[in-house]
């Protein structure tokens, strides 16, 4: 995992597809080089044996959301992609339908999978063909094939794959080999090894002129359907199309083992924890507190903006972490309105963290007041969590003693960093004390 740098410059975004919408979409609107229909086939009918889990990995949850939903979102947000065909096992059809509704996926068509990955992919391709069953989708010029279990795919790389496929007939992502490939004899001894620099690991996505890959699958032998692993090879064997190989980013890795699910979660958490926005309010106390927090959080490697009001905070498009400062008890209406704006302005792919920091300058809150506040926060947080927003509250008692004040401020910064980085739903609705 990369280390954070403390800098006064906003860090270059290395946010995977965590930004609100595809950055390239914004840049290329109106002059998009993709002027032909493009569709995607996502094979997702495997059982994920190597994870050792009973749930197929594509349906395992990562920060509360099924893995496949992240992958679908990565394609759906690309405006030049028309359809996403998701190929799932028959028994997962209802689950997939629920996911589509729950996460508001709009470009997806579900197709039934086959007993091997190649059979599943072919079933996906049939969704665009007269020979397929059920309603037919518009045939694309280029089809992108991508494993449902590779959630980190960015628009700029999809563009490279798509344009290369359109030009050459086929294209595929590759990565340098991590280890040398060796061939073993039947008895388990070294037969020979391959020269590592000459070989590459074939990854996904791959792009094809639809007619080429469709024809390749039509000519596929039973043995290829059963044991083959490489779509690019099918295009070469059956259509004489040599694919362009394009080196892709390391984020293209495939979730294969159980630990990869943990890594995927860590990647997402890291990328959404890089920045935060402090809503300072107008009073001197909260502005002082803001300066302190900003310095403290930046020392922890976070980029921090401080703005006077919520509206300005919302316009920071990539922020998913908000720290609202208030003096004395926050009003529930105020918190409710803030969360409503959050929901309306942002997509709910990744959870938001809202931290309401309540600076208690008067030190007069009664026990019953605190109890009332706790139940208000709890109720608001319960509702917010359904919409992927985590709300916690930190109370800081103001101290006249400067070393005690410093101790409390440091604690506040530590708690803030922990809440933002961990994004742990268990702390949603909780009031903490610094
Ligand atoms: N896949 C598919 N149909 C199959 C087998 C696999 O659509 N009959 C899909 C998987 O769901 C996955 C992708 O192909 O999205 C890559 O396959 P792999 O990583 O091998 O997934 P699984 O086959 O599910 O895992 P395992 O090999 O560990 O059982
Ligand atoms: Mg498999």
């Amino acid at each position: 995992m990369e280390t954070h740098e403390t800098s006064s410059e906003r860090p270059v975004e290395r946010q995977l597809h965590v930004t609100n919408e595809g950055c390239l979409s914004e840049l290329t609107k109106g002059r998009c080089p993709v002027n032909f229909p493009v569709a995607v086939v996502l094979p997702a009918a495997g059982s994920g044996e190597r994870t050792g889990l009973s749930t197929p990995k594509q349906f395992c949850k990562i920060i509360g959301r099924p893995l496949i939903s992240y992958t679908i979102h990565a394609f759906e947000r690309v405006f030049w992609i028309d359809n996403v065909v998701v190929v799932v096992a028959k028994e997962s059809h209802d689950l997939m339908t629920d996911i589509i509704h729950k996460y508001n996926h709009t470009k997806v068509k579900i197709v039934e999978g086959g007993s091997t990955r190649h059979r599943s992919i072919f079933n996906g391709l049939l969704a665009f063909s007269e020979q397929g069953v059920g309603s037919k989708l518009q045939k694309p010029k280029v089809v992108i094939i991508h494993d449902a279990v590779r959630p980190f795919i960015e628009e700029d790389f999809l563009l490279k794959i798509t344009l290369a496929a359109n030009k050459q007939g086929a294209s595929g992502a590759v990565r340098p080999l991590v280890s040398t490939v060796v061939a073993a004899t039947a008895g388990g001894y070294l037969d020979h090894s391959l020269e590592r620099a000459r070989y590459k690991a074939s990854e996904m996505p791959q792009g094809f002129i639809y007619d080429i890959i469709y024809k390749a699958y039509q000519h596929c032998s039973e043995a290829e359907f059963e044991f083959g692993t490489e779509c690019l090879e099918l295009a070469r064997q059956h259509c004489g199309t040599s694919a362009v190989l394009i080196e892709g980013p390391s984020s293209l890795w495939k979730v294969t083992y159980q630990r990869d699910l943990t890594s995927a979660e860590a990647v997402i958490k890291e990328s959404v924890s890089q920045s935060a926005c402090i809503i300072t309010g107008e009073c001197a106390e909260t502005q002082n507190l803001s300066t302190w927090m900003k310095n403290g959080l930046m020392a922890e490697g976070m980029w921090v903006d401080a703005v006077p009001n919520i509206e300005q905070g919302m316009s920071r498009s990539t922020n998913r972490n908000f720290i609202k400062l208030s003096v004395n008890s926050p009003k529930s209406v105020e918190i409710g309105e803030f969360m409503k704006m959050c929901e309306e302005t942002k997509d709910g792919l990744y959870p938001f963290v809202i931290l309401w920091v309540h600076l208690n300058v008067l030190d007069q809150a009664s026990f019953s007041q605190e109890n009332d506040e706790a139940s208000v926060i709890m109720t608001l947080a319960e509702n917010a969590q359904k919409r992927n927003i985590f709300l916690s509250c930190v109370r800081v008692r103001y101290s006249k003693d400067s070393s005690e004040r410093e101790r409390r401020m440091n604690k506040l910064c530590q708690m803030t960093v922990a809440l933002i980085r961990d994004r742990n739903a268990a702390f949603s609705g909780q009031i903490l004390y610094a």
Side-chain angles (χ1 to χ4, degrees):
M1 202 159 284
E2 290 169 69
T3 51
H4 293 279
E5 285 163 26
T6 307
S7 154
S8 56
E9 301 278 308
R10 180 181 277 279
V12 177
E13 302 241 316
R14 35 189 181 92
Q15 290 200 315
L16 308 166
H17 59 283
V18 171
T19 47
N20 256 1
E21 283 311 321
C23 49
L24 209 79
S25 296
E26 288 306 314
L27 293 174
T28 55
K29 244 174 216 167
R31 52 192 170 87
C32 176
V34 185
N35 54 4
F36 46 86
V38 180
V40 178
V41 171
L42 292 181
S47 56
E49 254 175 58
R50 282 171 286 177
T51 62
L53 301 169
S54 53
T55 305
K57 56 197 177 186
Q58 56 274 28
F59 300 119
C60 288
K61 288 201 172 165
I62 295 191
I63 329 182
R65 187 177 183 120
L67 175 61
I68 193 166
S69 176
Y70 290 99
T71 318
I72 293 172
H73 179 85
F75 287 98
E76 270 189 343
R77 77 204 168 95
V78 177
F79 77 96
W80 46 265
I81 289 179
D82 304 313
N83 305 107
V84 180
V85 171
V86 177
V87 190
V88 297
K90 194 174 183 181
E91 61 273 19
S92 307
H93 187 280
D94 291 350
L95 173 60
M96 195 62 232
T97 308
D98 288 348
I99 292 171
I100 289 168
H101 289 142
K102 181 160 183 203
Y103 298 102
N104 215 5
H105 294 302
T106 53
K107 295 185 183 175
V108 174
K109 180 184 166 75
I110 304 177
V111 161
E112 194 177 314
S115 57
T116 64
R117 182 169 170 274
H118 271 328
R119 291 190 212 280
S120 294
I121 293 172
F122 190 33
N123 285 0
L125 294 173
L126 280 166
F128 306 98
S129 151
E130 298 293 350
Q131 270 131 48
V133 284
S135 62
K136 177 173 95 75
L137 295 173
Q138 184 208 3
K139 190 176 89 170
K141 168 91 184 293
V142 167
V143 62
I144 300 171
I145 301 175
H146 186 72
D147 293 324
V149 289
R150 297 179 194 252
F152 306 123
I153 171 75
E154 296 183 62
E155 184 178 353
D156 54 357
F157 193 69
L158 286 175
L159 186 64
K160 281 186 194 164
I161 286 287
T162 303
L163 295 178
N166 188 44
K167 199 165 163 208
Q168 305 292 332
S171 61
V174 290
R175 290 282 305 155
L177 280 181
V178 176
S179 310
T180 302
V181 177
V182 295
T185 62
Y189 293 94
L190 176 71
D191 185 59
H192 63 276
S193 60
L194 299 183
E195 191 189 327
R196 197 165 74 191
R198 276 198 60 214
Y199 293 86
K200 303 270 179 203
S202 175
E203 308 280 346
M204 287 286 176
Q206 294 175 349
F208 301 89
I209 297 274
Y210 177 83
D211 290 338
I212 290 180
I213 192 68
Y214 184 69
K215 184 175 156 203
Y217 271 103
Q218 277 182 314
H219 289 86
C220 227
S221 67
E222 275 307 301
E224 281 170 325
F225 267 126
E226 202 59 33
F227 306 110
T229 53
E230 184 52 75
C231 306
L232 297 179
E233 186 56 26
L234 295 181
R236 195 179 70 86
Q237 289 276 341
H238 300 294
C239 302
T241 306
S242 282
V244 194
L245 303 178
I246 307 174
E247 181 146 336
S250 57
S251 55
L252 288 177
W253 57 275
K254 178 164 73 82
V255 170
T256 304
Y257 300 101
Q258 191 173 353
R259 63 170 181 267
D260 294 328
L261 290 163
T262 318
S263 303
E265 183 156 320
V267 168
I268 294 173
K269 283 183 176 176
E270 199 220 350
S271 60
V272 291
S273 306
Q274 289 175 27
S275 62
C277 180
I278 303 179
I279 317 281
T280 61
E282 306 287 350
C283 75
E285 287 97 337
T286 52
Q287 285 183 2
N288 286 342
L289 177 58
S290 163
T291 308
W292 187 284
M293 283 193 84
K294 185 169 174 173
N295 291 336
L297 298 178
M298 286 185 86
E300 289 284 335
M302 221 178 249
W303 172 262
V304 184
D305 269 333
V307 296
N309 55 46
I310 295 169
E311 288 76 11
Q312 285 185 37
M314 287 296 154
S315 66
R316 303 292 195 272
S317 66
T318 57
N319 262 325
R320 283 179 154 77
N321 308 300
F322 291 93
I323 302 157
K324 171 77 175 85
L325 308 183
S326 65
V327 178
N328 299 321
S329 290
K331 293 186 182 62
S332 62
V333 186
E334 204 187 347
I335 306 179
E337 276 173 6
F338 185 93
M339 289 194 305
K340 196 155 171 268
M341 278 181 73
C342 208
E343 234 182 281
E344 284 166 1
T345 326
K346 312 287 185 178
D347 72 61
L349 182 62
Y350 301 101
F352 274 80
V353 170
I354 298 177
L355 191 61
W356 211 278
V357 178
H358 161 194
L359 180 65
N360 193 346
V361 274
L362 301 175
D363 208 9
Q364 280 176 344
S366 69
F367 185 66
S368 67
Q369 252 179 330
E370 289 194 8
N371 263 353
D372 288 349
E373 193 191 340
S375 66
V376 166
I377 298 283
M378 189 79 87
T379 313
L380 283 170
E382 259 171 35
N383 291 326
Q385 211 177 311
K386 291 179 198 139
R387 301 183 303 265
N388 224 6
I389 301 173
F390 297 164
L391 168 72
S392 307
C393 210
V394 183
R395 276 171 160 266
V396 196
R397 285 193 206 285
Y398 183 81
S399 170
K400 292 197 178 76
D401 177 67
S402 65
S403 63
E404 176 59 15
R405 206 163 54 232
E406 188 168 329
R407 194 191 64 77
R408 288 182 189 178
M409 294 299 168
N410 286 340
K411 190 77 194 159
L412 170 63
C413 284
Q414 283 170 10
M415 284 201 268
T416 306
V417 170
L419 288 166
I420 288 176
R421 294 217 172 122
D422 288 353
R423 299 185 118 65
N424 193 330
F427 290 105
S428 187
Q430 296 303 300
I431 300 186
L432 306 161
Y433 289 83

